[in-house]
Amino acid sequence: MKGAAVPSLDWQKSSYSGDGSNCVYVATSLTGTVHLRESDNPDVILTTTAPRLRALIRSLKDHPGN
């Protein structure tokens, strides 16, 4: 059985990524789902929601080096 067609995502390079490799790309779907991938392994895509991603980023900023 074939799965439903996955719509193409409009990937954007993170503004924190430099000109070299190891860049993070972000895309959102029509449902508001956030997709993340890394330039060295673009076939692996992490999927989350905007509130969960915000909570992760906030936690990382509040506790640097942990």
Side-chain angles (χ1 to χ4, degrees):
M1 181 166 115
K2 289 187 177 183
V6 177
S8 175
L9 296 171
D10 183 23
W11 292 100
Q12 297 180 352
K13 186 167 113 173
S14 168
S15 61
Y16 289 97
S17 295
D19 291 331
S21 63
N22 297 326
C23 299
V24 174
Y25 287 83
V26 180
T28 57
S29 64
L30 293 176
T31 62
T33 303
V34 178
H35 307 276
L36 304 161
R37 71 179 184 189
E38 200 260 332
S39 61
D40 285 345
N41 198 354
D43 293 334
V44 176
I45 299 172
L46 301 175
T47 303
T48 189
T49 62
R52 288 181 176 172
L53 181 58
R54 268 193 302 273
L56 173 64
I57 293 169
R58 187 176 306 117
S59 176
L60 293 171
K61 284 182 175 182
D62 290 346
H63 300 48
N66 288 341

